[in-house]
Amino acid sequence: MTPTAVTNARNGRTMHLPFGEKRDGPLFNQHILSVKQFSRQDLELIFGVANEMRMMVERVGSFDLLKGKVLAVLFYEPSTRTSSSFIAAIQRLGGSIIPINEVKYSSVAKGESLPDTIRTLEAYADVIVLRHPETGAAALAAQYARKPIINAGDGIGEHPTQALLDLFTILEERGKIDGATVTMLGDLKYGRTVHSLARLLSLYNIKLNYVSPPILQMPRELLDELNARGIPQREANALEEVLGETDVLYVTRVQKERFANLDEYESVKNSYVIAPETLARAKPDLVLMHPLPRVGEISEAVDRDPRAAYFRQVEYGMYVRMALLAMVLGKA
Ligand code: NCD
């Protein structure tokens, strides 16, 4: 069979596909670097596919949609959920992985650059998931890559796939995203999850509240960006000021690894603890979320409350990542 050249309308890149196969869709052959690249229509599509993935997993566990495809998982920072959910996602779709979770055992430890590491891995894999401590690392990798790069967290920059699964969680738990008052609590300065989530939520009709220690406030550029989009935002000094009106409470960990001065970290690390008494003053249909890991911000006694959605959020993450892989590889 003669291969067919297919050009992606969005990025102009051409791929040679086996005759007869035709692939399109907004994510096909695309990098996923920032939530800024998504429209509301893209999100609806992703969540629709994620729902199909959920039904298939519930029915058959795994299936061969991505049989033969290889995912490289390149993590320069620790991870439990993001790396293992991507691994579970490709494996449930019949594909396989090149795991580089411990870069200290790879040639990175010998001083190999990110571009060289990427150019090597893309010779073996069809798509690369990258986590890196520097903001902009995924965008840099994408400049050198012919294969799609998925940003799994770039320093204090963005964590787009987490924001997608966070939105999917809100949708699944509440039935809709529009109309929600979302309160973000904790480390809003260094937390990449809240940076991506606030931007992605701004595609909807929502209100945002921010509660943090003064030294960990949401970056001014982000506030300005959302202001320009007409999003109502409020910076509160205490959770009590906004808890009563909150539909979604998104709690985050103080990002110890980002502090230059550990005394500063010590001064803010125990600023907030969500306890059963906190939830007693919250809406009965509150959705309590956390990207995890938690290190004391939510007491374990809260886990029994049906409003605690963070472990369901973990599960939704796998369906969303299955959807992303299938769409990037042109199979959904
Ligand atoms: C987050 C991260 O890595 O940014 N974790 C995750 O991916 N679920 C949040 C954190 O580390 O606090």
Side-chain angles (χ1 to χ4, degrees):
M1 274 194 262
T2 4
T4 313
V6 176
T7 305
N8 183 293
R10 281 205 174 184
N11 61 13
R13 270 188 271 162
T14 301
M15 289 207 30
H16 294 279
L17 303 174
F19 183 75
E21 270 192 68
K22 188 177 181 318
R23 301 171 190 177
D24 50 19
L27 296 192
F28 172 52
N29 204 24
Q30 294 283 320
H31 303 297
I32 298 178
L33 303 177
S34 161
V35 292
K36 289 180 188 164
Q37 74 194 75
F38 297 115
S39 67
R40 213 172 137 146
Q41 209 184 356
D42 293 337
L43 299 185
E44 276 155 26
L45 209 61
I46 295 166
F47 299 152
V49 177
N51 249 319
E52 283 173 32
M53 294 299 179
R54 180 186 191 170
M55 283 187 300
M56 288 299 283
V57 169
E58 281 166 3
R59 255 180 239 154
V60 295
S62 49
F63 49 106
D64 279 344
L65 190 67
L66 297 183
K67 190 173 163 62
K69 296 294 183 188
V70 177
L71 170 71
V73 183
L74 176 60
F75 276 54
Y76 290 75
E77 278 191 344
S79 168
T80 298
R81 277 149 291 268
T82 307
S83 59
S84 44
S85 65
F86 267 113
I87 293 169
I90 190 95
Q91 288 178 338
R92 283 187 183 271
L93 293 170
S96 55
I97 57 155
I98 301 171
I100 306 194
N101 278 320
E102 275 285 10
V103 287
K104 67 171 180 270
Y105 297 123
S106 74
S107 286
V108 170
K110 301 181 192 167
E112 185 162 55
S113 70
L114 180 62
D116 284 5
T117 306
I118 293 290
R119 281 184 286 209
T120 301
L121 288 176
E122 72 174 358
Y124 313 135
D126 300 292
V127 48
I128 300 171
V129 178
L130 171 69
R131 170 170 288 186
H132 197 281
E134 279 162 39
T135 306
L140 174 75
Q143 283 173 21
Y144 292 88
R146 290 173 294 114
K147 305 275 177 70
I149 301 289
I150 300 180
N151 181 4
D154 60 330
I156 62 168
E158 281 221 35
H159 194 346
T161 69
Q162 178 73 41
L164 290 168
L165 80 88
D166 291 340
L167 242 69
F168 186 65
T169 302
I170 298 173
L171 187 62
E172 291 297 299
E173 297 281 315
R174 292 187 80 243
K176 61 182 171 49
I177 298 167
D178 281 319
T181 294
V182 179
T183 297
M184 299 182 174
L185 174 78
D187 186 346
L188 309 183
K189 179 180 180 187
Y190 297 125
R192 55 195 171 199
T193 64
V194 283
H195 300 162
S196 288
L197 180 59
R199 283 201 176 100
L200 207 55
L201 280 168
S202 73
L203 294 175
Y204 293 79
N205 174 19
I206 48 100
K207 180 182 174 199
L208 285 172
N209 294 317
Y210 307 120
V211 186
S212 67
I215 60 164
L216 297 179
Q217 282 171 353
M218 194 60 111
R220 182 57 41 197
E221 322 76 87
L222 210 141
L223 296 177
D224 292 345
E225 191 183 314
L226 268 58
N227 222 358
R229 302 180 66 106
I231 300 297
Q233 303 175 87
R234 171 173 173 193
E235 291 186 278
N237 294 318
L239 180 60
E240 292 311 318
E241 290 173 31
V242 291
L243 183 61
E245 64 166 27
T246 297
D247 299 301
V248 177
L249 179 57
Y250 193 93
V251 184
T252 64
R253 169 180 75 91
V254 178
Q255 309 277 299
K256 182 178 181 183
E257 65 275 31
R258 310 290 179 212
F259 282 75
N261 175 348
L262 274 186
D263 290 340
E264 216 171 62
Y265 166 73
E266 292 294 328
S267 72
V268 286
K269 70 174 184 191
N270 294 325
S271 299
Y272 307 99
V273 179
I274 304 298
E277 307 81 80
T278 325
L279 288 196
R281 297 188 297 274
K283 285 191 178 182
D285 60 350
L286 175 86
V287 182
L288 178 61
M289 296 172 63
H290 193 307
L292 302 177
R294 64 174 157 183
V295 289
E297 318 74 54
I298 301 182
S299 100
E300 284 176 17
V302 167
D303 298 356
R304 287 188 297 273
D305 192 300
R307 292 171 286 183
Y310 28 92
F311 290 111
R312 296 193 290 278
Q313 191 179 348
V314 167
E315 184 185 331
Y316 297 135
M318 184 178 75
Y319 306 133
V320 168
R321 288 172 173 136
M322 289 173 80
L324 292 174
L325 291 174
M327 292 172 81
V328 164
L329 293 170
K331 292 287 187 183

